[in-house]
Amino acid sequence: MKGLRAWFGARVRPRSLRDTMVSVLTITGVGGAIALAALLALVISPSFAELEDRATVAYRHRAHAALAEFAAGAEIIAREHADTARTLPTSAPVPLSQLLFSAHRVDAVAYRAVSDSGWDVRVRSYTDPSRTALAQGLNAVDLQKPLKDGRSTHFYLPDGAGVMAVGMARITDPRGHTTGYVAVMQRLTAGHLSALLGKAAHITRPPEGQGDAIRKQSGAIEIAVPMRGADGAPVATAGFRVSREVVLLGRRVLMLAVAGSILLLVFLLLMVRRAVAAFVLAPLDRVERHMERVRASGALLPFEDEGSRVDEFGSLGRSFNAMLNQLKDLREQNEIQSFALGRSESAVAVLHNVRNALAPLSTILSHGVGPMPVADRQLLDRALAELRRDDIDAARRAKLVAFVATAIDADAVARDAVRQQLEVGRDAMRQTLEIIGAQQARAHERPPRERCDVTDIVARNATIARYAQSVSIGFSFPAEPAPVLANRVILSQVIGNLFSNAVEAIVATGRDHGTIAVELLPPTGGRLSVRIIDDGEGFEPALSTRLFQPGFSTRTEKSGGLGLHWCANSMAAMGGVLELRSAGQGTGAVAILTLDADPDPVASVGELAA
């Protein structure tokens, strides 16, 4: 079946169940017709061929019997005439021959005494030119062979273009001694042979072969039967044609059987097709139309079908209506709970984003309250004390001065680092305040969109994300501006949340370092896409549709999972889309943010630069 579907789909792939059923029924009908035709051909054709072979053998036996019967008639006449000619050769043969010609329909008679060396041939008509040829033929016969064990025999002799059936008998005296021989001859013509066989026949000389010959042609069978002489060798061939009526009848029967079977298969296939269309496809069409109405209107209307149906489609309709009722009840419950649930989810999402924004402060404060390098301070005090003395040599003083200068420079670098960390903490605190303020501002309205530079927002959040965890994160992002239409604060929260998730995914691998790369895809159709790629733990592709569900997380040790849910909703509120992709566990992940590109990027860049 797979092979059939593969073969059919490579040529014409069905677009509906109706097309599939029609195609399967058509292929089944054609295959059944071919198989039935082959089966009938295997059964009918050999049977009729066997009947034809039997008929051919019967015709051949009939021809042999007819030839033998014709020659046997001449032999009977010869025996009767031999009884009459007992006085031969003292009697004159002429009166005997005239008596024979008047009593029987023979064409020639020949006599021979035992003491004679040749035959005396008498013919019915004096104009018959075959007398000499008959005499020569009889003289060539060795009488000891045909009459070796019997009183009489029969055979054929050539007679010009035809043949003579010869009946030969012994002439004996009253004591049983052979005194002579008599041969009675009857000419066998094609007309006589045709009358004997009931078929148009012909006689061929010289003979065509030593035995029977059967040649089958398209419409007839040629049968050739040898006519044997006194020594058993053929002297001529009797041939006739037999129509192949049996085979032709078998072919007609086969064609009628195949045609009838094909018509029956076509009728059955048409009836099956109509039945499938009426009892299967029509109910499915009604179900499909009703589901389309539900999808288009959004109203969970019950499926109104024949309520009295007790078949599978009636059960399907009842099950479908029960499912619609359950969905209707669930929708009503969901609408009742949606307001409170929305407020709860919004508050939890804000707290989640505030936590992400405040996470760098913990790391910065941990670095700030750490122990100071006391040993270095003591060395610096000792160096300064020695420099106050006047009794140290110049080389020692130069080394102490270099050490103090280096220490002062190191202290300045440390102060600069602390100042940078404090600036980052200030940015994180400012972002936290902006999150709280934005939440208050959009509590009852959709966030306004403005022109934002995605590159600038990515750079700010990348600086903060470096301090989110105690791991080394390498960032790479484009430097060129990428203006889009979005809410700057919300977009910053979304990107910050995605960076925080990427850092957590890297920490989950057990490594102390990782990379996060940001790519800008060329704008397409007025939309701009940003790809955030990390080399963290990743996730299975089957989980991509569940990542945005409230409370779902790929890490069992982590509670929550509302960050991505909030990010997806926030992107949708700004007219954008958030996608997450991964090739599998341990292969990293890709987050794709798609927003409306700024329709006037030149002006936007100028405004952003100003």
Side-chain angles (χ1 to χ4, degrees):
M1 188 63 182
K2 291 183 179 180
L4 177 61
R5 291 182 62 184
W7 177 87
F8 187 79
R11 288 157 176 78
V12 181
R13 185 173 295 277
R15 293 175 294 179
S16 65
L17 179 61
R18 188 186 305 273
D19 296 337
T20 303
M21 293 298 297
V22 170
S23 303
V24 171
L25 290 176
T26 302
I27 294 175
T28 302
V30 172
I34 295 175
L36 185 58
L39 180 62
L40 291 175
L42 291 175
V43 173
I44 294 178
S45 297
S47 299
F48 281 91
E50 183 180 357
L51 291 176
E52 182 186 64
D53 292 340
R54 292 180 181 179
T56 302
V57 172
Y59 277 116
R60 184 168 57 85
H61 290 168
R62 181 178 176 182
H64 281 286
L67 293 175
E69 182 180 0
F70 188 81
E75 181 182 357
I76 293 173
I77 298 174
R79 294 180 64 175
E80 293 177 352
H81 193 59
D83 292 339
T84 306
R86 286 182 180 273
T87 58
L88 192 75
T90 56
S91 295
V94 175
L96 289 175
S97 61
Q98 293 298 329
L99 181 62
L100 180 64
F101 290 146
S102 61
H104 301 280
R105 187 176 179 81
V106 297
D107 296 293
V109 61
Y111 303 96
R112 179 179 177 179
V114 174
S115 58
D116 292 342
S117 60
W119 288 82
D120 182 11
V121 180
R122 297 284 185 266
V123 295
R124 177 183 292 275
S125 175
Y126 291 102
T127 60
D128 192 341
S130 60
R131 178 178 179 181
T132 304
L134 292 174
Q136 293 177 354
L138 290 174
N139 291 330
V141 174
D142 185 3
L143 297 179
Q144 297 302 322
K145 290 182 178 180
L147 295 175
K148 179 179 180 181
D149 299 324
R151 179 184 174 190
S152 62
T153 187
H154 60 268
F155 53 88
Y156 286 93
L157 278 181
D159 177 27
V163 292
M164 284 281 191
V166 179
M168 183 178 293
R170 298 175 184 270
I171 302 176
T172 59
D173 57 12
R175 290 177 296 179
H177 296 128
T178 301
T179 59
Y181 305 93
V182 61
V184 176
M185 290 163 278
Q186 290 181 312
R187 182 174 285 109
L188 179 62
T189 63
H192 294 155
L193 184 59
S194 300
L196 292 175
L197 299 178
K199 301 285 183 182
H202 61 276
I203 298 175
T204 305
R205 287 198 55 223
E208 298 178 356
Q210 296 297 319
D212 297 352
I214 298 175
R215 293 185 295 271
K216 294 183 179 181
Q217 300 176 357
S218 60
I221 300 177
E222 294 281 351
I223 301 177
V225 178
M227 305 172 68
R228 303 188 181 277
D231 56 355
V235 297
T237 300
F240 57 95
R241 293 169 59 91
V242 176
S243 176
R244 305 189 68 177
E245 297 178 353
V246 176
V247 172
L248 296 177
L249 177 61
R251 292 176 181 174
R252 287 193 292 269
V253 171
L254 177 61
M255 295 302 295
L256 289 175
V258 171
S261 302
I262 292 176
L263 290 177
L264 180 60
L265 283 175
V266 170
F267 175 75
L268 291 177
L269 291 176
L270 290 176
M271 294 302 296
V272 171
R273 179 179 176 181
R274 289 177 62 88
V276 169
F279 300 112
V280 178
L281 298 180
L284 288 178
D285 290 340
R286 289 195 294 272
V287 173
E288 183 179 4
R289 287 195 300 269
H290 183 76
M291 295 178 68
E292 183 64 24
R293 287 174 55 196
V294 172
R295 187 194 65 81
S297 63
L300 301 178
L301 303 174
F303 179 59
E304 298 178 357
D305 200 359
E306 302 176 8
S308 59
R309 296 188 63 168
V310 295
D311 57 1
E312 289 80 358
F313 286 101
S315 176
L316 176 63
R318 290 187 290 273
S319 299
F320 185 73
N321 288 335
M323 181 188 69
L324 290 179
N325 291 331
Q326 292 179 0
L327 290 176
K328 186 176 180 181
D329 296 339
L330 291 175
R331 174 185 285 184
E332 293 176 353
Q333 296 176 10
N334 185 54
E335 290 176 353
I336 295 173
Q337 300 173 1
S338 61
F339 179 73
L341 181 61
R343 284 171 42 179
S344 175
E345 287 184 356
S346 178
V348 173
V350 170
L351 293 177
H352 179 81
N353 293 330
V354 169
R355 187 199 65 181
N356 289 338
L358 293 177
L361 290 177
S362 176
T363 302
I364 293 172
L365 293 176
S366 298
H367 291 170
V369 301
M372 296 298 293
V374 179
D376 292 344
R377 183 63 184 178
Q378 292 176 355
L379 290 176
L380 180 61
D381 292 341
R382 290 173 56 187
L384 291 175
E386 286 189 48
L387 286 174
R388 294 190 189 99
R389 294 167 53 187
D390 297 332
D391 56 348
I392 61 174
D393 56 9
R396 177 65 177 174
R397 182 178 295 276
K399 290 181 179 180
L400 291 174
V401 170
F403 172 75
V404 170
T406 302
I408 293 173
D409 292 340
D411 186 64
V413 171
R415 284 197 302 271
D416 291 340
V418 171
R419 184 170 54 253
Q420 291 177 0
Q421 293 177 2
L422 292 176
E423 291 177 353
V424 172
R426 182 189 60 190
D427 292 338
M429 182 62 69
R430 182 186 300 114
Q431 184 171 342
T432 302
L433 295 176
E434 289 177 349
I435 292 171
I436 298 174
Q439 176 64 24
Q440 293 175 348
R442 70 169 189 271
H444 300 288
E445 62 182 5
R446 296 179 65 86
R449 298 197 306 174
E450 58 186 348
R451 293 172 178 173
C452 304
D453 184 5
V454 176
T455 303
D456 179 67
I457 296 175
V458 167
R460 289 180 55 190
N461 282 277
T463 303
I464 297 174
R466 285 193 179 97
Y467 296 93
Q469 297 282 347
S470 58
V471 293
S472 176
I473 304 296
F475 276 89
S476 63
F477 49 88
E480 67 272 18
V484 296
L485 295 178
N487 186 284
R488 183 178 59 84
V489 177
I490 296 178
L491 181 58
S492 179
Q493 295 177 60
V494 171
I495 293 177
N497 201 343
L498 294 176
F499 281 169
S500 177
N501 290 342
V503 173
E504 291 179 359
I506 293 173
V507 173
T509 61
R511 294 183 280 114
D512 59 352
H513 64 280
T515 59
I516 299 176
V518 181
E519 298 178 353
L520 295 177
L521 302 181
T524 303
R527 307 274 284 180
L528 187 143
S529 297
V530 181
R531 300 179 64 195
I532 301 176
I533 308 170
D534 67 74
D535 59 351
E537 63 178 351
F539 55 88
E540 294 298 330
L543 299 177
S544 60
T545 58
R546 302 180 57 192
L547 293 175
F548 301 108
Q549 296 178 1
F552 181 81
S553 177
T554 57
R555 289 180 291 279
T556 57
E557 75 279 4
K558 178 182 176 183
S559 63
L562 293 175
L564 291 177
H565 175 67
W566 179 88
C567 290
N569 291 338
S570 299
M571 289 294 294
M574 295 186 294
V577 178
L578 173 61
E579 299 177 67
L580 289 177
R581 300 176 183 174
S582 177
Q585 198 75 18
T587 60
V590 180
I592 303 175
L593 295 86
T594 304
L595 292 163
D596 290 333
D598 186 8
D600 190 8
V602 177
S604 301
V605 173
E607 293 178 9
L608 292 170

